[in-house]
Structure formats: C-alpha cells, structure tokens
Amino acid sequence: MSDNKKKKAGLGFAVWFLLFLGVFILILINWKTISSNFNDLKNVVQGSRTEQQERKEEIAARKAEEKARRAAEKDAKEYARAQEKEQGGVTITLGGDKSSESNSASEKNQAQEETKKEESSQEQVKSESKPESKPESKGESNSETKTESSEEKRTSEKTDSGNNQAKAEENKKTSAEENNNSAAATQTVTATRNTKLYFLKVAANGTTSIMEVTRVMAKSDSPLTDALNAVISGPNSKESAAGCQSYISSGTKLLSASVKNGIATLNFNENLAYNSFGIAGLNAELEQIVYTATAFSTVDSVQILVEGKLTDYLSEGVWIGTPLKRSSF
C-alpha cells in the first residue's frame, strides 16, 4: 500500500511538473507578444491617466476663466453705477444692460433740448460775426485767367519740348544700335578665311593622287589646328561628290600643334599608326597631313610625334624620325 501511494504521489508530481514546464515553455515562446501586450496595456493605462489629468486641468482652467469673467462683469457694473451717480442719473449701458433707461429717458430729452438751443444760439453768433464778402472785379478775374492760360501754355510747351528731346534720344539710340548690329553682321560675314585642304583621289586604274580643295572656314587664333582637324574629319558632301577621299586612320586625334623656325611639330594619338590600308594607307595619311600643314607660308616641314614621343618609324618601316616635306612623297 505504501508503495502504491508513493507511486501515485510521484506520478502526480511528474504531471504537475510537466504542466508547469509546458506553461513555462509557452511563456518563453510567446514572450515578445506578452511583453508587447503588457506594454500596450501600460501605455493605455498611462494614456487614460494623462487624459484624465488633462480633463481635470481643462475643467479647472474653465472654472478660473468663468470666475474671472464674473469678477470683470461685477467690476463693470459697479463702475457703471458709480458713473451714473456722478453724472446725475445718466446711465452707461455695458453689454446690453437696459434696466435704467426708462428712469432716465426724460432727463436725456431735457439735456438734448438744452444742447440744441445752445447750438442754435452759437450758429446765430457765428453768422453775425462773419464779414461780408466783397465781389471781385472783372479785371482781376480776367488777369487771373490770363496768367493761368499763359502758365498752361508754358507747361504744355515744356512738355512738348521734353517729348521731342526724348524722341530724338530714342532715335539716336536706335540708329546706334542698328549701326552696331550692321557692324557685327559685317564682322560675322567677313570673319572667315579660305583654307587649303588636301585629300586623295583614286583613278580608274587604282592609282591615287593628291587633290587640293579650298574650304571656307571661320577665322580663329589657331588656323593650322583647324585645318588639320578638318582633314582628319574627312571631306564634306560636296568634296566627296568631287571624288575626294581620306586615308587617315579612324580615331586619329591631333593632340597638339606648334610651329618654330618653319618646322610644324604635330603630336597625334597612337591611332595614327594603325591604318587599315597598310603601308600605302600610312604614306597616304602622312601625305595629306604634310601637304595641309605646308600650305601655310610659315611651315616648311612637319615633324610627326605619337603620344608626345619622337620615334623613327610610324609602323611597318614608314619613316617619321626627321621632319617631312612635300618632296618626301
């Protein structure tokens, strides 16, 4: 019997322990939601407390305002009564108070009649004391009208002269602006120059020959650079229709250009050395560059640089180690 009791007690303890453990695990799993709910409940309680406190403060403020308003009304009534006593029964109504108007209506009427009598007597005295106005003579009126008309004429003449001067100044300004515009237009028209460019022309048998074209270009402080960039860009539509072709490698750029002692030093990027037409293309592009540069009277020969470096050969045995002339081709 004692063993059975011990077993039952142990089993009951195990069951309660498992229940407690399960509840504890559930609490741990849902701890975040429990804590958030608890915080929400706490916030709600605090919010209700703050609302109650605000309501109490609002009620107290309203009571204080009402008390102050009543005190002000009481003071105003007392002040009105004091004024009524001083003025001998004349009431001052504040906020629509009409209780004493019936008692003082007769007194008001008497006072108004007395004031009217005084005003009428004063008007009579004023009318008697006014001096009689003398009629003005016709000569004086005519002289005044004449002076007024002369002054008006003078003012009109002044305004007319001022308007004429303003118009003359405006005409001068417009003529000056037109002259400036015409001068600027003539400058833009004359600010061009004829530049000689050199391309290649391929004959029917496949041979190439240098071809000179004259292109009208805008004037600038660097005409040599402008001419070389135009040759690098290639012929325009009119020049292409005439059979002009360019053999300068695609992507070629002129990095710098300078002239000293008749030698033009031209610095190109490395694309100049890679020509799809081989040696013939390299010689053709150098011929275009040298002919275009030596078309200027200050240039006798051309020294080619690649990426700022002086090299003996451009590519595949094409010599650029010394300045090149037209006779080099």
Side-chain angles (χ1 to χ4, degrees):
M1 293 294 291
S2 62
D3 291 336
N4 291 328
K5 288 180 180 180
K6 287 179 180 180
K7 287 180 180 180
K8 289 180 180 180
L11 184 62
F13 177 76
V15 170
W16 283 107
F17 179 75
L18 290 173
L19 288 172
F20 178 76
L21 183 62
V23 172
F24 182 72
I25 290 169
L26 289 173
I27 291 170
L28 288 176
I29 292 170
N30 299 317
W31 177 251
K32 290 183 179 180
T33 56
I34 293 169
S35 61
S36 64
N37 291 330
F38 180 75
N39 290 326
D40 294 338
L41 182 61
K42 187 177 180 181
N43 292 327
V44 169
V45 173
Q46 290 179 354
S48 62
R49 289 179 181 176
T50 54
E51 287 179 358
Q52 290 177 359
Q53 186 68 26
E54 289 176 355
R55 288 177 182 175
K56 288 180 180 179
E57 291 177 355
E58 187 178 355
I59 291 168
R62 287 180 181 176
K63 288 182 179 180
E65 289 178 358
E66 184 68 21
K67 188 175 180 181
R69 187 179 64 79
R70 289 178 181 176
E73 289 179 355
K74 186 177 180 181
D75 293 336
K77 288 179 180 180
E78 290 178 356
Y79 178 75
R81 288 173 184 173
Q83 291 291 328
E84 184 180 355
K85 288 179 181 179
E86 290 178 359
Q87 294 179 3
V90 178
T91 58
I92 299 173
T93 58
L94 295 174
D97 188 5
K98 298 180 181 179
S99 59
S100 60
E101 288 183 356
S102 59
N103 295 325
S104 61
S106 60
E107 293 178 356
K108 282 183 180 180
N109 293 325
Q110 292 177 0
Q112 288 178 358
E113 290 177 357
E114 289 178 358
T115 53
K116 286 180 180 179
K117 290 178 181 180
E118 289 177 359
E119 288 177 355
S120 62
S121 62
Q122 288 177 0
E123 288 177 355
Q124 290 177 358
V125 172
K126 286 180 181 178
S127 62
E128 292 175 356
S129 61
K130 282 182 181 179
E132 294 180 355
S133 60
K134 294 180 180 181
E136 294 180 355
S137 62
K138 294 181 179 179
E140 290 177 354
S141 62
N142 292 326
S143 62
E144 287 179 358
T145 54
K146 286 180 181 179
T147 54
E148 288 177 356
S149 62
S150 62
E151 286 178 357
E152 289 177 356
K153 286 181 180 179
R154 288 175 184 175
T155 54
S156 64
E157 288 175 357
K158 287 181 181 179
T159 53
D160 292 334
S161 62
N163 292 326
N164 292 327
Q165 290 179 358
K167 288 180 180 179
E169 289 177 357
E170 288 179 358
N171 291 327
K172 287 181 181 179
K173 288 181 181 179
T174 53
S175 62
E177 289 177 356
E178 289 176 357
N179 291 328
N180 292 327
N181 293 328
S182 62
T186 54
Q187 286 180 359
T188 54
V189 170
T190 57
T192 57
R193 64 181 303 162
N194 294 327
T195 304
K196 292 182 180 180
L197 306 178
Y198 291 85
F199 298 101
L200 293 174
K201 187 174 183 179
V202 181
N205 58 1
T207 59
T208 59
S209 60
I210 198 74
M211 186 175 183
E212 178 185 304
V213 297
T214 302
R215 187 185 295 181
V216 179
M217 298 178 63
K219 280 187 177 181
S220 68
D221 296 332
S222 54
L224 177 60
T225 302
D226 294 340
L228 291 170
N229 286 328
V231 169
I232 292 169
S233 298
N236 56 24
S237 58
K238 186 178 179 180
E239 294 162 354
S240 298
C244 294
Q245 295 183 10
S246 179
Y247 280 79
I248 296 176
S249 303
S250 61
T252 299
K253 291 182 181 180
L254 179 64
L255 302 179
S256 63
S258 61
V259 179
K260 186 177 181 182
N261 297 327
I263 300 173
T265 302
L266 307 180
N267 182 22
F268 295 91
N269 63 346
E270 60 183 3
N271 290 59
L272 184 71
Y274 301 101
N275 198 293
S276 59
F277 295 98
I279 295 175
L282 292 172
N283 287 320
E285 68 180 3
L286 291 176
E287 187 176 6
Q288 285 182 245
I289 292 168
V290 171
Y291 268 76
T292 301
T294 54
F296 292 89
S297 59
T298 56
V299 179
D300 296 327
S301 59
V302 177
Q303 178 63 63
I304 302 295
L305 302 179
V306 179
E307 297 290 344
K309 295 180 181 179
L310 176 62
T311 57
D312 292 335
Y313 296 95
L314 180 61
S315 179
E316 299 181 6
V318 179
W319 177 260
I320 58 170
T322 56
L324 302 176
K325 297 183 178 180
R326 291 191 177 188
S327 59
S328 302
F329 302 96

